[in-house]
Amino acid sequence: MITIYTHPLINRFQEILSQSLILATITTTTLISANFSINTTAFAQTPNINSTEVTNYAKAVLAMEPVRQQAFEEIKKLIGSKDIPKIICNDPNTVNALPGKAKDVAIKYCNNSQKIVEENKLTTERFNQITIEIQNSNTLKKQVYNILLRLQKTSPTPPSK
C-alpha cells in the first residue's frame, strides 16, 4: 500500500471544508423539504424516528446535494445574471415561472430528488416529517450531522475534474 503524506494545514483545510459542506447540506435539506408535498398530519404528530431512518435520511441528503448544486448551476447559466427564484417542486407556479430549458432542469431536479429519497428507503412524507423534527430538535440535528460526517469520511472521494 502506498501512503501519501500531506501537509497538516491541507488536512485541516479539508476538514473545515467538509464541515462547511455538512452545514450547508443540513440547511439545504430544510429548503428541499418544501420540494415535496407536506401532509398537515406531519405537523400534528410525528412518530418516533429510529436510527435506520436517520441514517437513510442522511444518505438521501448527501446524495441530493450534488444534484441540487448541478441543477442550480445549470439554471444559473440558463437564466444568466438574474437572481434564481426559489424552486418548490410541489408548487407548479415556481417551476412554471422559469424560462424554457430552466424549467426542464427544475423538473428533472425535482424528479431526481424524489427518486433519491425513495432509493434511501423513505417516502417523501417521512422525509418531510424527519426534516420538521430536525428543525425542532437539536439532538436529532446533531445526530444527523454526525452521520453525515461519518458518511463523508467513509465514502470514496470523487475523481478531480
Side-chain angles (χ1 to χ4, degrees):
M1 175 165 57
I2 299 173
T3 304
I4 300 174
Y5 295 98
T6 58
H7 193 277
L9 288 178
I10 293 174
N11 289 336
R12 179 69 181 137
F13 180 70
Q14 289 172 335
E15 182 181 312
I16 291 169
L17 280 178
S18 176
Q19 290 173 351
S20 297
L21 176 62
I22 289 172
L23 289 174
T25 302
I26 290 173
T27 304
T28 299
T29 301
T30 57
L31 296 174
I32 289 174
S33 69
N35 291 339
F36 307 110
S37 61
I38 298 176
N39 189 338
T40 54
T41 58
F43 290 103
Q45 60 184 107
T46 302
N48 290 334
I49 301 167
N50 65 46
S51 61
T52 301
E53 287 179 312
V54 175
T55 300
N56 291 344
Y57 179 89
K59 287 178 181 178
V61 168
L62 205 55
M64 272 191 232
E65 183 58 17
V67 174
R68 185 198 65 80
Q69 288 178 358
Q70 181 182 3
F72 180 84
E73 288 302 317
E74 286 182 47
I75 291 171
K76 189 175 174 181
K77 286 178 187 173
L78 291 168
I79 291 178
S81 63
K82 299 177 192 172
D83 289 334
I84 296 177
K86 185 175 182 180
I87 300 167
I88 303 170
C89 293
N90 67 332
D91 181 356
N93 294 328
T94 64
V95 175
N96 290 332
L98 294 169
K101 290 185 179 185
K103 184 188 311 183
D104 295 337
V105 172
I107 291 169
K108 182 180 174 186
Y109 161 71
C110 293
N111 291 336
N112 285 341
S113 294
Q114 184 172 2
K115 185 178 174 184
I116 289 168
V117 167
E118 292 169 356
E119 286 172 350
N120 284 282
K121 300 176 178 86
L122 293 170
T123 64
T124 54
E125 292 79 16
R126 188 62 175 153
F127 182 89
N128 288 326
Q129 289 172 342
I130 295 169
T131 300
I132 292 164
E133 282 302 308
I134 287 171
Q135 292 169 352
N136 297 322
S137 168
N138 285 333
T139 303
L140 185 56
K141 192 181 293 184
K142 287 177 187 175
Q143 187 179 0
V144 171
Y145 177 82
N146 288 332
I147 291 169
L148 286 168
L149 274 176
R150 187 189 75 216
L151 289 171
Q152 281 190 326
K153 287 180 183 177
T154 59
S155 66
T157 33
S160 299
K161 291 183 180 182

